[in-house]
Amino acid sequence: MKLDARQTERFLQNPGNARLALLYGPDSSLIAERGRVLARKVAGNLDDPFRLAELGGDQGERILEEATAQSFGGGRRVVLVRDATDSMAKAAEQALEAPADSLVILMAGDLASRSRLRALAEKHPAAAAIACYPPEGAKRSGDLEAALRADAISIDREALAWCVGRIGAESGALRQAAEALSLYAGRNGRLTLGDCMAALGD
């Protein structure tokens, strides 16, 4: 099933009985973040080799094997696949149809609308397709301002506009900028344009 923004947030907190989640799009940092959130939600933590298997883009043939492996000690097993491509579509479908309750998380790039992985994840009732796009325009400004507000930091309008134009489009770049600005300003601080230029000038 193809999830919209509201459905995505609910799914990340509670994937239910879903067997496969496809994360795709141009925002690689958001894909990685959501993949970790989802894996942690199901497996409990990311350090248990009996609950979590991580595969690279050249290990697609192991998806079914890992998805049907026993999880010692109980709990659902997670198979986290980085750099997923359409060449994994058959293995992903086999994992979906296998008699197991593991969750396969495929972290892909910016897949085309005709992608076999997208078709599988969008149509299968036990799968979810989640598009990951960089924040744009007002949302980028709002996200940066909200991140600063969490540390009780205010920012001038001119400074906020400069920052949004300066930092990269990906979610990870925005988070890194917020961290740098928070360190520069200190809790309860206020950021001017000059402050932002000094903190993010490089």
Side-chain angles (χ1 to χ4, degrees), residues 43-129:
N45 65 69
L46 304 182
D47 301 317
D48 185 347
F50 297 115
R51 297 282 302 278
L52 175 69
E54 294 194 56
L55 304 178
D58 59 347
Q59 297 176 297
E61 75 283 352
R62 291 182 51 199
I63 291 175
L64 179 60
E65 172 192 347
E66 294 292 351
T68 55
Q70 291 294 320
S71 174
F72 297 101
R76 292 185 73 188
R77 184 171 170 81
V78 173
V79 183
L80 188 64
V81 185
R82 303 182 189 282
D83 303 317
T85 65
D86 274 350
S87 65
M88 299 176 183
K90 183 177 180 180
E93 185 173 12
Q94 290 173 335
L96 268 171
E97 301 301 333
D101 70 344
S102 57
L103 174 65
V104 176
I105 303 172
L106 301 174
M107 300 193 298
D110 195 6
L111 300 174
S113 58
R114 297 184 302 277
S115 161
R116 292 167 59 201
L117 279 181
R118 280 184 60 177
L120 174 65
E122 289 173 4
K123 294 176 183 176
H124 199 287

